[in-house]
Amino acid sequence: NFVGILKYLNGREIVTTSLVCKAWLSVSRLPSLWERLDSTSGLTNKSRKLNMTNFLKVMARPQFSNLKHLEMSHHAMQLSKGSIGKLSKLLPHLESYAHNGVWGTGHKLKDETLLQLVQSFPKLTSLRNIEMWHITNQGIVQMAAISPNLLDLKINGSLLYLADNTLLQIADCCKNLHHFAYATCRWGYNRDRDTLTGVGVV
């Protein structure tokens, strides 16, 4: 059927299809067609006007009520305790959150914000590209302790670095983890501060 065909299209293509007529526009707004939102499926910020306030207004549309995968790549949309609380009410089925952006322009999450993120979205199984600008090893450990259902985790070491004990704690708390990645950037890399030996990798 027509809905089945639309499921093969990405968000941008669905929006283009919706311009044909009012009937197609109505179908294009079905929540079942909008389980993923990222840069390839329509989440763009070319006008530089998509701040968090405007983004929350977009997420309040009924078509996004079943959103499961969200990837943001704009530094203008900074997560805060307030925005996380509002998003959790708008996106109760979210399973995957990621931030993709240029090194140094990502969300400057702090420990308490990261903890609220995983607490507010209990269905999260994937958390990717979490930058350690202001997140400490203690914050990562606390996050892992309350996220036993995580299957996928990627951490970026920006200014702070993972410790061996943090790896051990992640492995102990997230026993169902299928994929783990830890990346550092050559820019600003400080070998003396990076004490990770890999002993926590088993």
Side-chain angles (χ1 to χ4, degrees), residues 165-194:
N165 184 61
T166 303
L167 281 182
L168 290 170
Q169 293 292 333
I170 292 174
D172 185 56
C173 296
C174 304
K175 298 184 181 301
N176 296 319
L177 203 62
H178 290 173
H179 180 268
F180 174 79
Y182 172 57
T184 59
C185 182
R186 291 184 178 179
W187 174 84
Y189 177 75
N190 189 324
R191 183 181 296 274
D192 294 332
R193 295 176 61 188
D194 186 1

Short mmCIF file of all heavy atoms in Angstrom, two decimals, residues 165-194:
data_model
loop_
_atom_site.label_atom_id
_atom_site.label_comp_id
_atom_site.label_asym_id
_atom_site.label_seq_id
_atom_site.Cartn_x
_atom_site.Cartn_y
_atom_site.Cartn_z
N ASN A 165 39.39 2.07 35.34
CA ASN A 165 38.32 1.68 36.25
C ASN A 165 36.95 2.01 35.66
O ASN A 165 35.98 1.29 35.91
CB ASN A 165 38.48 2.37 37.61
CG ASN A 165 37.44 1.91 38.60
OD1 ASN A 165 37.38 0.72 38.95
ND2 ASN A 165 36.61 2.82 39.07
N THR A 166 36.88 3.08 34.86
CA THR A 166 35.61 3.44 34.23
C THR A 166 35.19 2.36 33.24
O THR A 166 34.02 1.98 33.17
CB THR A 166 35.73 4.80 33.51
OG1 THR A 166 36.15 5.79 34.44
CG2 THR A 166 34.39 5.21 32.92
N LEU A 167 36.15 1.84 32.49
CA LEU A 167 35.85 0.75 31.55
C LEU A 167 35.32 -0.48 32.30
O LEU A 167 34.38 -1.13 31.87
CB LEU A 167 37.09 0.38 30.75
CG LEU A 167 37.47 1.26 29.56
CD1 LEU A 167 38.69 0.70 28.87
CD2 LEU A 167 36.32 1.39 28.58
N LEU A 168 35.96 -0.78 33.40
CA LEU A 168 35.54 -1.93 34.20
C LEU A 168 34.12 -1.74 34.72
O LEU A 168 33.31 -2.67 34.73
CB LEU A 168 36.52 -2.14 35.36
CG LEU A 168 37.92 -2.63 35.00
CD1 LEU A 168 38.83 -2.56 36.21
CD2 LEU A 168 37.86 -4.05 34.45
N GLN A 169 33.81 -0.51 35.16
CA GLN A 169 32.48 -0.22 35.68
C GLN A 169 31.43 -0.31 34.58
O GLN A 169 30.32 -0.81 34.79
CB GLN A 169 32.46 1.18 36.31
CG GLN A 169 33.29 1.33 37.57
CD GLN A 169 32.70 0.54 38.73
OE1 GLN A 169 31.52 0.31 38.80
NE2 GLN A 169 33.57 0.12 39.65
N ILE A 170 31.76 0.17 33.38
CA ILE A 170 30.84 0.07 32.24
C ILE A 170 30.54 -1.40 31.94
O ILE A 170 29.40 -1.79 31.73
CB ILE A 170 31.43 0.77 31.00
CG1 ILE A 170 31.48 2.28 31.22
CG2 ILE A 170 30.59 0.45 29.76
CD1 ILE A 170 32.18 3.04 30.11
N ALA A 171 31.60 -2.20 31.90
CA ALA A 171 31.42 -3.63 31.61
C ALA A 171 30.59 -4.32 32.68
O ALA A 171 29.79 -5.21 32.38
CB ALA A 171 32.79 -4.30 31.50
N ASP A 172 30.76 -3.91 33.93
CA ASP A 172 30.04 -4.54 35.03
C ASP A 172 28.57 -4.13 35.05
O ASP A 172 27.70 -4.95 35.36
CB ASP A 172 30.70 -4.16 36.36
CG ASP A 172 30.07 -4.88 37.53
OD1 ASP A 172 30.02 -6.12 37.51
OD2 ASP A 172 29.62 -4.19 38.48
N CYS A 173 28.30 -2.87 34.71
CA CYS A 173 26.92 -2.36 34.78
C CYS A 173 26.11 -2.65 33.52
O CYS A 173 24.91 -2.93 33.60
CB CYS A 173 26.93 -0.86 35.05
SG CYS A 173 27.64 -0.36 36.62
N CYS A 174 26.75 -2.55 32.38
CA CYS A 174 26.05 -2.71 31.10
C CYS A 174 26.40 -4.08 30.51
O CYS A 174 27.14 -4.18 29.52
CB CYS A 174 26.43 -1.58 30.14
SG CYS A 174 26.13 0.08 30.79
N LYS A 175 25.86 -5.11 31.09
CA LYS A 175 26.23 -6.47 30.70
C LYS A 175 25.69 -6.87 29.34
O LYS A 175 26.13 -7.87 28.76
CB LYS A 175 25.74 -7.45 31.77
CG LYS A 175 26.38 -7.22 33.14
CD LYS A 175 25.95 -8.27 34.15
CE LYS A 175 26.56 -8.02 35.52
NZ LYS A 175 28.03 -8.01 35.49
N ASN A 176 24.70 -6.11 28.80
CA ASN A 176 24.13 -6.43 27.50
C ASN A 176 24.77 -5.63 26.38
O ASN A 176 24.32 -5.70 25.23
CB ASN A 176 22.62 -6.18 27.51
CG ASN A 176 21.89 -7.07 28.49
OD1 ASN A 176 22.20 -8.27 28.61
ND2 ASN A 176 20.93 -6.52 29.22
N LEU A 177 25.81 -4.87 26.68
CA LEU A 177 26.43 -4.00 25.70
C LEU A 177 27.00 -4.82 24.53
O LEU A 177 27.80 -5.72 24.72
CB LEU A 177 27.56 -3.20 26.36
CG LEU A 177 27.98 -1.89 25.69
CD1 LEU A 177 26.83 -0.89 25.67
CD2 LEU A 177 29.18 -1.29 26.42
N HIS A 178 26.55 -4.48 23.31
CA HIS A 178 27.01 -5.18 22.11
C HIS A 178 28.11 -4.40 21.39
O HIS A 178 28.96 -4.99 20.72
CB HIS A 178 25.85 -5.41 21.15
CG HIS A 178 24.85 -6.40 21.63
ND1 HIS A 178 23.66 -6.66 20.98
CD2 HIS A 178 24.85 -7.22 22.72
CE1 HIS A 178 22.99 -7.58 21.65
NE2 HIS A 178 23.69 -7.93 22.70
N HIS A 179 28.05 -3.07 21.50
CA HIS A 179 29.02 -2.25 20.78
C HIS A 179 29.48 -1.11 21.67
O HIS A 179 28.67 -0.37 22.22
CB HIS A 179 28.40 -1.69 19.49
CG HIS A 179 29.35 -0.84 18.70
ND1 HIS A 179 29.44 0.53 18.85
CD2 HIS A 179 30.28 -1.17 17.75
CE1 HIS A 179 30.37 1.00 18.03
NE2 HIS A 179 30.88 0.00 17.36
N PHE A 180 30.80 -0.99 21.81
CA PHE A 180 31.37 0.10 22.60
C PHE A 180 32.50 0.74 21.80
O PHE A 180 33.33 0.03 21.22
CB PHE A 180 31.91 -0.40 23.94
CG PHE A 180 32.65 0.66 24.72
CD1 PHE A 180 31.95 1.62 25.43
CD2 PHE A 180 34.04 0.71 24.70
CE1 PHE A 180 32.61 2.61 26.14
CE2 PHE A 180 34.72 1.70 25.40
CZ PHE A 180 34.00 2.66 26.13
N ALA A 181 32.51 2.06 21.77
CA ALA A 181 33.58 2.77 21.07
C ALA A 181 34.03 3.95 21.90
O ALA A 181 33.23 4.61 22.57
CB ALA A 181 33.10 3.25 19.70
N TYR A 182 35.35 4.18 21.88
CA TYR A 182 35.93 5.32 22.58
C TYR A 182 36.91 5.98 21.64
O TYR A 182 37.85 5.35 21.16
CB TYR A 182 36.64 4.86 23.85
CG TYR A 182 37.43 5.94 24.55
CD1 TYR A 182 36.82 7.12 24.96
CD2 TYR A 182 38.79 5.77 24.79
CE1 TYR A 182 37.56 8.12 25.60
CE2 TYR A 182 39.53 6.75 25.43
CZ TYR A 182 38.91 7.92 25.84
OH TYR A 182 39.63 8.90 26.47
N ALA A 183 36.66 7.24 21.32
CA ALA A 183 37.49 7.94 20.34
C ALA A 183 38.09 9.20 20.94
O ALA A 183 37.45 9.91 21.72
CB ALA A 183 36.66 8.30 19.11
N THR A 184 39.33 9.48 20.60
CA THR A 184 39.97 10.73 20.99
C THR A 184 40.35 11.49 19.72
O THR A 184 40.42 10.91 18.63
CB THR A 184 41.24 10.49 21.83
OG1 THR A 184 42.16 9.70 21.07
CG2 THR A 184 40.89 9.78 23.12
N CYS A 185 40.58 12.76 19.87
CA CYS A 185 40.92 13.61 18.72
C CYS A 185 42.39 13.98 18.77
O CYS A 185 42.93 14.30 19.84
CB CYS A 185 40.04 14.86 18.75
SG CYS A 185 40.33 15.97 17.36
N ARG A 186 43.06 13.96 17.63
CA ARG A 186 44.47 14.33 17.59
C ARG A 186 44.66 15.79 18.01
O ARG A 186 45.65 16.14 18.63
CB ARG A 186 45.02 14.13 16.18
CG ARG A 186 45.13 12.67 15.77
CD ARG A 186 45.77 12.56 14.40
NE ARG A 186 45.91 11.16 14.00
CZ ARG A 186 46.42 10.77 12.84
NH1 ARG A 186 46.85 11.69 11.98
NH2 ARG A 186 46.51 9.49 12.54
N TRP A 187 43.67 16.61 17.67
CA TRP A 187 43.76 18.02 18.05
C TRP A 187 43.62 18.14 19.56
O TRP A 187 42.65 17.71 20.14
CB TRP A 187 42.66 18.81 17.36
CG TRP A 187 42.62 20.25 17.81
CD1 TRP A 187 43.38 21.27 17.34
CD2 TRP A 187 41.81 20.80 18.85
NE1 TRP A 187 43.09 22.43 18.01
CE2 TRP A 187 42.13 22.17 18.95
CE3 TRP A 187 40.84 20.27 19.71
CZ2 TRP A 187 41.51 23.03 19.86
CZ3 TRP A 187 40.24 21.12 20.62
CH2 TRP A 187 40.57 22.47 20.69
N GLY A 188 44.62 18.72 20.19
CA GLY A 188 44.57 18.93 21.62
C GLY A 188 44.85 17.70 22.46
O GLY A 188 44.69 17.72 23.67
N TYR A 189 45.26 16.60 21.81
CA TYR A 189 45.51 15.36 22.55
C TYR A 189 46.70 15.53 23.48
O TYR A 189 47.75 16.05 23.10
CB TYR A 189 45.75 14.20 21.60
CG TYR A 189 46.07 12.90 22.30
CD1 TYR A 189 45.06 12.18 22.93
CD2 TYR A 189 47.37 12.41 22.34
CE1 TYR A 189 45.34 10.98 23.58
CE2 TYR A 189 47.67 11.22 22.98
CZ TYR A 189 46.64 10.51 23.60
OH TYR A 189 46.93 9.34 24.24
N ASN A 190 46.55 15.09 24.73
CA ASN A 190 47.61 15.19 25.74
C ASN A 190 47.94 13.79 26.23
O ASN A 190 47.20 13.20 27.02
CB ASN A 190 47.14 16.07 26.90
CG ASN A 190 48.26 16.40 27.87
OD1 ASN A 190 49.14 15.58 28.13
ND2 ASN A 190 48.23 17.63 28.40
N ARG A 191 49.04 13.25 25.77
CA ARG A 191 49.43 11.88 26.13
C ARG A 191 49.63 11.71 27.64
O ARG A 191 49.31 10.67 28.21
CB ARG A 191 50.71 11.49 25.39
CG ARG A 191 51.16 10.05 25.65
CD ARG A 191 52.43 9.75 24.91
NE ARG A 191 52.24 9.82 23.47
CZ ARG A 191 51.80 8.80 22.73
NH1 ARG A 191 51.51 7.65 23.31
NH2 ARG A 191 51.65 8.94 21.43
N ASP A 192 50.13 12.74 28.30
CA ASP A 192 50.40 12.65 29.73
C ASP A 192 49.12 12.52 30.55
O ASP A 192 49.12 11.92 31.64
CB ASP A 192 51.18 13.87 30.20
CG ASP A 192 52.58 13.93 29.60
OD1 ASP A 192 53.12 12.85 29.28
OD2 ASP A 192 53.12 15.05 29.44
N ARG A 193 48.02 13.05 30.04
CA ARG A 193 46.75 13.01 30.76
C ARG A 193 45.95 11.76 30.42
O ARG A 193 45.01 11.41 31.12
CB ARG A 193 45.92 14.26 30.45
CG ARG A 193 46.57 15.55 30.95
CD ARG A 193 45.76 16.77 30.54
NE ARG A 193 44.41 16.72 31.10
CZ ARG A 193 43.44 17.57 30.78
NH1 ARG A 193 43.68 18.54 29.91
NH2 ARG A 193 42.25 17.47 31.35
N ASP A 194 46.32 11.11 29.33
CA ASP A 194 45.61 9.90 28.90
C ASP A 194 46.28 8.69 29.56
O ASP A 194 47.30 8.20 29.09
CB ASP A 194 45.64 9.78 27.39
CG ASP A 194 44.79 8.62 26.88
OD1 ASP A 194 44.17 7.91 27.70
OD2 ASP A 194 44.75 8.42 25.65
#
